[in-house]
Amino acid sequence: MNLKALIADRLAAGFARAGAGDAPAAVGPATRAEFGDYQANGAMGAAKRLGLGPRELAQRVIDGTDFAGIAARCAVTGPGFISLTVADELLADALADRRIQPLPAAKVVMDYSSPNLAKEMQVHHLRSTIIGDAIARVLEALGCEVIRQNHVGDWGAQFGRLVAHLNDCGEDAVHLADLERFYTQASARVDEDPAFAARARRVVVDLHTGDAATLARWRRYIDVSLAHCQAVYEALGVSLRPSDVRGESAYNGDLAAVVADLAAKGLITESDGALCVFLDEFKGKDGSTVPVIVRKSDGAYLYHSTDLAALRYRAETLGADRVLYIVDARQSLHFRQLFALAKAAGYGAGVSFEHHPFGTMLGADGRPFKTRRGGGTRLLDLLDEATVRAGRLVQAKNPTLDAATTDRVARALGVGAVKYADLSKNRTSDYVFSWDDMLSLEGNTAPYLQYAYARIQSLFAKAGIPVEAAEPPLGPLATAEEHALALQLARFQETLEQVAATVMPHHLCSYLYDLAAAFMRFYERCPVLDSDLRNSRLLLSRRSAETLATGLGLLGIDTVDRM
RNA sequence: GCGCCCGUAGCUCAGCCGGAUAGAGCAUCGGCCUUCUAAGCCGGCGGUCGAAGGUUCGAGUCCUUCCGGGCGCGCCA
């Protein structure tokens, strides 16, 4: 149940009776706990139009609202806030059933992760991959049909360079590390050797026109590279599967038709031999327009055309209601152009195309992130280091665990910490990558949430009963800690809906951290096993464990029973 | 030059259609393990929310200008 929506609904009737039916109740969590659990700020904004004092209107709203079963107390506070305390019976209802309520059915296509192949996955691939994955899982939990589309870069100039270079030196690459090395060499040659650069471009044309030898070579490199990506996804606990891969190459056959269609619709202008679309939305102050180039003067297509073909496929073939692109903020202009182009071409009318950007990764110095060697940091190295550090800590804290359990726990905590460090940030602009922050295991980190979960498992082990044995109903909430914990548990639904609406997983992280903290305070203050309120407190513990496990699961983070 | 994003405590970050005394973690200082896991709990220290104007009953949040940072801008993706 969505408490916030329920309260807003009830208050809406009160606003209507008070003559302010069009005013939003503006319900949110109370900013100050002393005044209750939720507050509605709408009376203050509406009062002026009605010629009433804000407190007077707030009182009229309260008088006209039916609080039966939802609020234990409701009062006007401050300049005209409506503050209310949620009734225990409502919390008992909320905790009786932990099922998530579905949103209206929708088909959502999600483009995320989408690494360029031929290179190992680096830390900068982390954001798209795990943000997208968390959103995909949350949407599925809310009943949406999610179609994952891993739009890997498997068709661009990097393969021209790679294949041209390997043709020249007569070598072949069967391991990713080799590919990586050869690609670096090839990139260097492009900068120094114009003749090589020309050959590399020629190879791209061969590839795109279906030259058999080139395609065979390309296929081998792609397979090596994709196997590596899949290994990273599995190490990360990301839900992407090989069947979710639909890379740039999948649209090769559509490109000519898409461009022909744009031409037929009168959108194409030739400029210096390239086929361009000039859109009014991108006209500058000086009257010049930044063009969208859909075909180069040498006949090759670019990512605008590929992305447009992909957009059309997602809208028309997959039948999406929404298409979410979880892509670096540096692509913002590209997506504005892409969506404008789709609109001009009449593709995907009625479909919501959304670019959800995230910031560029910076180093500790605030400059774009690079290692000393000028490269990136391998994602697998980061995960390994996190696991090693967590392993040392697990061993120090709990030396009685056997080796296999220690390894498993270390993996869950280490990988969880890395993911949580990234997912818990709402940075639509740049963010600072810090090796130490990523690997931190104290405070507001995944291990804190996992620790709360493990404590609950331990509690039930001590009680000698399975977690499921704690059943409703919830008893009286005798202490402030119990009330606060029950309230936080009851807010899970509204949190998931908020994540779905904003496409921002950090709201779920904040929620789970607050939940774990509420549980820790409850646990420190309220004895469970040796208490008259044992049943009720066990139920609070059970729901805490379930909600933590479910929430962490949506973030792609594992829980452990002991740590 | 034009455009987009950002600037909150020493550091890393929250702050939900503008709403009460701006919140966490880390760091630092102090208290709490003979009772359910101290990876924890409680408390102290720490911010003129980049600056100046404006709108508003009310601005970290909206508008304008300036300063600072990042990114993007016709044949890479």
Tab-separated table of all heavy atoms in Angstrom, chain A residues 3-51:
chain	number	residue	atom	x	y	z
A	3	LEU	N	1.225	4.649	1.337
A	3	LEU	CA	0.698	5.483	2.415
A	3	LEU	C	0.516	6.936	1.985
A	3	LEU	O	-0.490	7.569	2.303
A	3	LEU	CB	1.663	5.482	3.611
A	3	LEU	CG	1.755	4.265	4.507
A	3	LEU	CD1	2.474	4.637	5.787
A	3	LEU	CD2	0.389	3.699	4.795
A	4	LYS	N	1.522	7.430	1.292
A	4	LYS	CA	1.490	8.833	0.898
A	4	LYS	C	0.276	9.112	0.005
A	4	LYS	O	-0.436	10.104	0.198
A	4	LYS	CB	2.788	9.148	0.165
A	4	LYS	CG	3.001	10.578	-0.196
A	4	LYS	CD	4.456	10.751	-0.641
A	4	LYS	CE	4.584	11.807	-1.709
A	4	LYS	NZ	5.988	12.005	-2.103
A	5	ALA	N	0.049	8.202	-0.961
A	5	ALA	CA	-1.070	8.385	-1.870
A	5	ALA	C	-2.397	8.263	-1.121
A	5	ALA	O	-3.360	8.993	-1.397
A	5	ALA	CB	-0.992	7.351	-2.999
A	6	LEU	N	-2.437	7.337	-0.167
A	6	LEU	CA	-3.657	7.145	0.613
A	6	LEU	C	-3.998	8.404	1.406
A	6	LEU	O	-5.151	8.869	1.425
A	6	LEU	CB	-3.449	5.952	1.560
A	6	LEU	CG	-4.600	5.567	2.474
A	6	LEU	CD1	-5.815	5.159	1.661
A	6	LEU	CD2	-4.177	4.428	3.396
A	7	ILE	N	-2.991	8.961	2.048
A	7	ILE	CA	-3.211	10.174	2.842
A	7	ILE	C	-3.599	11.346	1.938
A	7	ILE	O	-4.519	12.116	2.245
A	7	ILE	CB	-1.940	10.499	3.654
A	7	ILE	CG1	-1.741	9.449	4.748
A	7	ILE	CG2	-2.021	11.891	4.265
A	7	ILE	CD1	-0.354	9.441	5.363
A	8	ALA	N	-2.915	11.451	0.799
A	8	ALA	CA	-3.226	12.533	-0.133
A	8	ALA	C	-4.664	12.426	-0.621
A	8	ALA	O	-5.375	13.428	-0.757
A	8	ALA	CB	-2.254	12.494	-1.312
A	9	ASP	N	-5.107	11.193	-0.866
A	9	ASP	CA	-6.488	10.941	-1.297
A	9	ASP	C	-7.497	11.436	-0.274
A	9	ASP	O	-8.467	12.121	-0.605
A	9	ASP	CB	-6.688	9.428	-1.453
A	9	ASP	CG	-6.693	9.029	-2.900
A	9	ASP	OD1	-6.199	9.828	-3.719
A	9	ASP	OD2	-7.177	7.919	-3.198
A	10	ARG	N	-7.274	11.046	0.970
A	10	ARG	CA	-8.198	11.437	2.038
A	10	ARG	C	-8.236	12.958	2.193
A	10	ARG	O	-9.300	13.560	2.347
A	10	ARG	CB	-7.778	10.805	3.361
A	10	ARG	CG	-7.958	9.299	3.420
A	10	ARG	CD	-9.422	8.932	3.566
A	10	ARG	NE	-9.543	7.494	3.834
A	10	ARG	CZ	-9.618	6.977	5.058
A	10	ARG	NH1	-9.622	7.757	6.121
A	10	ARG	NH2	-9.711	5.661	5.220
A	11	LEU	N	-7.050	13.561	2.170
A	11	LEU	CA	-6.985	15.007	2.366
A	11	LEU	C	-7.614	15.762	1.194
A	11	LEU	O	-8.164	16.842	1.370
A	11	LEU	CB	-5.536	15.458	2.565
A	11	LEU	CG	-4.943	15.169	3.943
A	11	LEU	CD1	-3.448	15.441	3.943
A	11	LEU	CD2	-5.632	16.018	5.021
A	12	ALA	N	-7.557	15.158	0.012
A	12	ALA	CA	-8.141	15.814	-1.157
A	12	ALA	C	-9.627	16.084	-0.920
A	12	ALA	O	-10.146	17.137	-1.301
A	12	ALA	CB	-7.935	14.954	-2.396
A	13	ALA	N	-10.275	15.146	-0.263
A	13	ALA	CA	-11.696	15.338	0.052
A	13	ALA	C	-11.859	16.505	1.020
A	13	ALA	O	-12.789	17.314	0.891
A	13	ALA	CB	-12.271	14.057	0.660
A	14	GLY	N	-10.967	16.605	1.978
A	14	GLY	CA	-11.003	17.709	2.935
A	14	GLY	C	-10.780	19.047	2.252
A	14	GLY	O	-11.454	20.034	2.561
A	15	PHE	N	-9.833	19.068	1.302
A	15	PHE	CA	-9.581	20.301	0.559
A	15	PHE	C	-10.813	20.700	-0.241
A	15	PHE	O	-11.180	21.881	-0.304
A	15	PHE	CB	-8.372	20.124	-0.375
A	15	PHE	CG	-7.049	20.456	0.283
A	15	PHE	CD1	-6.331	19.477	0.958
A	15	PHE	CD2	-6.540	21.743	0.243
A	15	PHE	CE1	-5.120	19.785	1.569
A	15	PHE	CE2	-5.332	22.062	0.852
A	15	PHE	CZ	-4.619	21.083	1.532
A	16	ALA	N	-11.468	19.711	-0.849
A	16	ALA	CA	-12.657	20.002	-1.645
A	16	ALA	C	-13.762	20.591	-0.760
A	16	ALA	O	-14.381	21.599	-1.115
A	16	ALA	CB	-13.138	18.722	-2.331
A	17	ARG	N	-13.973	19.984	0.402
A	17	ARG	CA	-15.028	20.487	1.300
A	17	ARG	C	-14.705	21.882	1.819
A	17	ARG	O	-15.585	22.658	2.136
A	17	ARG	CB	-15.221	19.530	2.474
A	17	ARG	CG	-15.926	18.254	2.047
A	17	ARG	CD	-16.562	17.507	3.196
A	17	ARG	NE	-16.979	16.185	2.702
A	17	ARG	CZ	-16.192	15.111	2.720
A	17	ARG	NH1	-14.986	15.173	3.241
A	17	ARG	NH2	-16.619	13.966	2.222
A	18	ALA	N	-13.408	22.180	1.921
A	18	ALA	CA	-13.011	23.502	2.411
A	18	ALA	C	-13.014	24.529	1.283
A	18	ALA	O	-12.646	25.686	1.487
A	18	ALA	CB	-11.631	23.424	3.058
A	19	GLY	N	-13.423	24.101	0.088
A	19	GLY	CA	-13.504	25.034	-1.029
A	19	GLY	C	-12.207	25.206	-1.786
A	19	GLY	O	-12.047	26.150	-2.560
A	20	ALA	N	-11.263	24.297	-1.572
A	20	ALA	CA	-9.981	24.393	-2.269
A	20	ALA	C	-9.723	23.101	-3.030
A	20	ALA	O	-8.636	22.528	-2.979
A	20	ALA	CB	-8.856	24.666	-1.277
A	21	GLY	N	-10.724	22.647	-3.736
A	21	GLY	CA	-10.668	21.353	-4.406
A	21	GLY	C	-9.591	21.244	-5.453
A	21	GLY	O	-9.104	20.151	-5.736
A	22	ASP	N	-9.184	22.370	-6.029
A	22	ASP	CA	-8.181	22.309	-7.083
A	22	ASP	C	-6.759	22.357	-6.533
A	22	ASP	O	-5.794	22.178	-7.265
A	22	ASP	CB	-8.390	23.481	-8.058
A	22	ASP	CG	-8.388	24.821	-7.331
A	22	ASP	OD1	-8.742	24.841	-6.136
A	22	ASP	OD2	-8.037	25.836	-7.960
A	23	ALA	N	-6.629	22.615	-5.230
A	23	ALA	CA	-5.280	22.748	-4.667
A	23	ALA	C	-4.715	21.385	-4.317
A	23	ALA	O	-5.406	20.543	-3.758
A	23	ALA	CB	-5.317	23.621	-3.417
A	24	PRO	N	-3.448	21.159	-4.653
A	24	PRO	CA	-2.829	19.893	-4.256
A	24	PRO	C	-2.598	19.873	-2.743
A	24	PRO	O	-2.282	20.902	-2.153
A	24	PRO	CB	-1.483	19.902	-4.991
A	24	PRO	CG	-1.194	21.343	-5.267
A	24	PRO	CD	-2.519	22.036	-5.369
A	25	ALA	N	-2.770	18.705	-2.153
A	25	ALA	CA	-2.550	18.591	-0.712
A	25	ALA	C	-1.061	18.725	-0.386
A	25	ALA	O	-0.706	19.157	0.695
A	25	ALA	CB	-3.086	17.258	-0.193
A	26	ALA	N	-0.227	18.351	-1.352
A	26	ALA	CA	1.241	18.436	-1.164
A	26	ALA	C	1.688	17.660	0.056
A	26	ALA	O	2.261	18.201	1.000
A	26	ALA	CB	1.708	19.887	-1.105
A	27	VAL	N	1.407	16.355	0.009
A	27	VAL	CA	1.756	15.486	1.139
A	27	VAL	C	3.186	14.988	1.004
A	27	VAL	O	3.622	14.621	-0.088
A	27	VAL	CB	0.805	14.283	1.185
A	27	VAL	CG1	1.221	13.310	2.284
A	27	VAL	CG2	-0.629	14.752	1.415
A	28	GLY	N	3.895	15.004	2.093
A	28	GLY	CA	5.234	14.432	2.117
A	28	GLY	C	5.558	13.974	3.515
A	28	GLY	O	4.786	14.233	4.451
A	29	PRO	N	6.687	13.290	3.665
A	29	PRO	CA	7.099	12.884	5.006
A	29	PRO	C	7.283	14.126	5.878
A	29	PRO	O	7.676	15.180	5.380
A	29	PRO	CB	8.443	12.189	4.781
A	29	PRO	CG	8.519	11.908	3.327
A	29	PRO	CD	7.645	12.888	2.639
A	30	ALA	N	7.012	13.990	7.159
A	30	ALA	CA	7.199	15.120	8.061
A	30	ALA	C	8.674	15.495	8.101
A	30	ALA	O	9.546	14.629	8.146
A	30	ALA	CB	6.708	14.770	9.451
A	31	THR	N	8.944	16.797	8.081
A	31	THR	CA	10.340	17.220	8.140
A	31	THR	C	10.839	17.239	9.585
A	31	THR	O	12.032	17.212	9.827
A	31	THR	CB	10.523	18.623	7.527
A	31	THR	OG1	9.583	19.508	8.136
A	31	THR	CG2	10.310	18.578	6.043
A	32	ARG	N	9.920	17.287	10.526
A	32	ARG	CA	10.297	17.276	11.930
A	32	ARG	C	9.458	16.236	12.659
A	32	ARG	O	8.236	16.350	12.723
A	32	ARG	CB	10.107	18.654	12.550
A	32	ARG	CG	10.973	19.715	11.850
A	32	ARG	CD	10.782	21.082	12.452
A	32	ARG	NE	11.049	21.053	13.885
A	32	ARG	CZ	12.264	21.055	14.421
A	32	ARG	NH1	13.325	21.099	13.647
A	32	ARG	NH2	12.430	21.015	15.723
A	33	ALA	N	10.134	15.237	13.203
A	33	ALA	CA	9.437	14.082	13.764
A	33	ALA	C	8.505	14.464	14.909
A	33	ALA	O	7.496	13.800	15.135
A	33	ALA	CB	10.465	13.052	14.257
A	34	GLU	N	8.819	15.555	15.610
A	34	GLU	CA	7.987	15.931	16.756
A	34	GLU	C	6.549	16.256	16.347
A	34	GLU	O	5.638	16.240	17.165
A	34	GLU	CB	8.612	17.133	17.479
A	34	GLU	CG	8.593	18.391	16.640
A	34	GLU	CD	9.676	19.400	17.023
A	34	GLU	OE1	10.842	19.167	16.675
A	34	GLU	OE2	9.340	20.396	17.675
A	35	PHE	N	6.339	16.587	15.059
A	35	PHE	CA	4.997	16.941	14.598
A	35	PHE	C	4.261	15.775	13.949
A	35	PHE	O	3.158	15.940	13.464
A	35	PHE	CB	5.060	18.119	13.629
A	35	PHE	CG	5.543	19.388	14.265
A	35	PHE	CD1	6.629	20.069	13.741
A	35	PHE	CD2	4.924	19.893	15.410
A	35	PHE	CE1	7.083	21.240	14.335
A	35	PHE	CE2	5.366	21.066	15.999
A	35	PHE	CZ	6.456	21.740	15.472
A	36	GLY	N	4.881	14.614	13.902
A	36	GLY	CA	4.165	13.472	13.337
A	36	GLY	C	4.946	12.786	12.233
A	36	GLY	O	6.170	12.905	12.141
A	37	ASP	N	4.213	12.053	11.393
A	37	ASP	CA	4.837	11.217	10.372
A	37	ASP	C	4.775	11.823	8.968
A	37	ASP	O	5.702	11.681	8.191
A	37	ASP	CB	4.129	9.856	10.344
A	37	ASP	CG	4.223	9.144	11.682
A	37	ASP	OD1	5.243	9.313	12.386
A	37	ASP	OD2	3.268	8.436	12.049
A	38	TYR	N	3.646	12.420	8.667
A	38	TYR	CA	3.475	13.048	7.355
A	38	TYR	C	2.995	14.463	7.553
A	38	TYR	O	2.405	14.807	8.584
A	38	TYR	CB	2.440	12.288	6.512
A	38	TYR	CG	2.974	11.026	5.871
A	38	TYR	CD1	2.871	9.806	6.530
A	38	TYR	CD2	3.551	11.058	4.612
A	38	TYR	CE1	3.361	8.639	5.942
A	38	TYR	CE2	4.041	9.895	4.014
A	38	TYR	CZ	3.937	8.696	4.680
A	38	TYR	OH	4.419	7.559	4.089
A	39	GLN	N	3.217	15.294	6.553
A	39	GLN	CA	2.658	16.634	6.599
A	39	GLN	C	2.137	17.015	5.224
A	39	GLN	O	2.633	16.546	4.208
A	39	GLN	CB	3.701	17.649	7.064
A	39	GLN	CG	4.862	17.849	6.110
A	39	GLN	CD	5.945	18.732	6.736
A	39	GLN	OE1	6.313	18.571	7.896
A	39	GLN	NE2	6.440	19.686	5.962
A	40	ALA	N	1.098	17.859	5.228
A	40	ALA	CA	0.564	18.391	3.980
A	40	ALA	C	0.766	19.896	4.003
A	40	ALA	O	0.401	20.556	4.970
A	40	ALA	CB	-0.919	18.048	3.850
A	41	ASN	N	1.372	20.405	2.934
A	41	ASN	CA	1.727	21.824	2.904
A	41	ASN	C	0.767	22.643	2.043
A	41	ASN	O	0.935	23.852	1.908
A	41	ASN	CB	3.150	21.989	2.361
A	41	ASN	CG	4.168	21.214	3.159
A	41	ASN	OD1	3.966	20.947	4.340
A	41	ASN	ND2	5.262	20.830	2.521
A	42	GLY	N	-0.227	21.972	1.478
A	42	GLY	CA	-1.072	22.612	0.465
A	42	GLY	C	-1.929	23.761	0.962
A	42	GLY	O	-2.287	24.642	0.185
A	43	ALA	N	-2.266	23.768	2.239
A	43	ALA	CA	-3.189	24.799	2.730
A	43	ALA	C	-2.573	26.192	2.624
A	43	ALA	O	-3.272	27.160	2.350
A	43	ALA	CB	-3.568	24.498	4.176
A	44	MET	N	-1.272	26.280	2.822
A	44	MET	CA	-0.635	27.600	2.824
A	44	MET	C	-0.694	28.257	1.447
A	44	MET	O	-0.922	29.453	1.335
A	44	MET	CB	0.803	27.482	3.319
A	44	MET	CG	0.858	27.187	4.803
A	44	MET	SD	2.516	26.912	5.406
A	44	MET	CE	2.880	25.320	4.698
A	45	GLY	N	-0.493	27.448	0.427
A	45	GLY	CA	-0.543	28.000	-0.921
A	45	GLY	C	-1.954	28.376	-1.324
A	45	GLY	O	-2.166	29.366	-2.032
A	46	ALA	N	-2.918	27.601	-0.865
A	46	ALA	CA	-4.310	27.808	-1.300
A	46	ALA	C	-4.992	28.920	-0.517
A	46	ALA	O	-5.973	29.507	-0.995
A	46	ALA	CB	-5.087	26.499	-1.149
A	47	ALA	N	-4.501	29.215	0.673
A	47	ALA	CA	-5.214	30.131	1.570
A	47	ALA	C	-5.411	31.522	0.964
A	47	ALA	O	-6.496	32.098	1.049
A	47	ALA	CB	-4.451	30.234	2.892
A	48	LYS	N	-4.352	32.019	0.344
A	48	LYS	CA	-4.412	33.391	-0.157
A	48	LYS	C	-5.538	33.579	-1.167
A	48	LYS	O	-6.293	34.550	-1.105
A	48	LYS	CB	-3.064	33.742	-0.792
A	48	LYS	CG	-2.875	35.234	-0.998
A	48	LYS	CD	-1.454	35.549	-1.402
A	48	LYS	CE	-1.274	37.068	-1.496
A	48	LYS	NZ	0.087	37.409	-1.922
A	49	ARG	N	-5.661	32.609	-2.082
A	49	ARG	CA	-6.684	32.720	-3.122
A	49	ARG	C	-8.089	32.705	-2.529
A	49	ARG	O	-9.006	33.269	-3.085
A	49	ARG	CB	-6.542	31.571	-4.126
A	49	ARG	CG	-5.426	31.808	-5.134
A	49	ARG	CD	-5.351	30.699	-6.147
A	49	ARG	NE	-4.863	29.454	-5.554
A	49	ARG	CZ	-5.552	28.331	-5.498
A	49	ARG	NH1	-6.770	28.278	-6.011
A	49	ARG	NH2	-5.040	27.261	-4.939
A	50	LEU	N	-8.223	32.021	-1.397
A	50	LEU	CA	-9.542	31.915	-0.778
A	50	LEU	C	-9.797	33.049	0.218
A	50	LEU	O	-10.882	33.147	0.787
A	50	LEU	CB	-9.670	30.574	-0.044
A	50	LEU	CG	-9.622	29.343	-0.947
A	50	LEU	CD1	-9.631	28.072	-0.127
A	50	LEU	CD2	-10.788	29.350	-1.927
A	51	GLY	N	-8.791	33.893	0.426
A	51	GLY	CA	-8.955	34.987	1.369
A	51	GLY	C	-9.061	34.517	2.807
A	51	GLY	O	-9.718	35.149	3.631
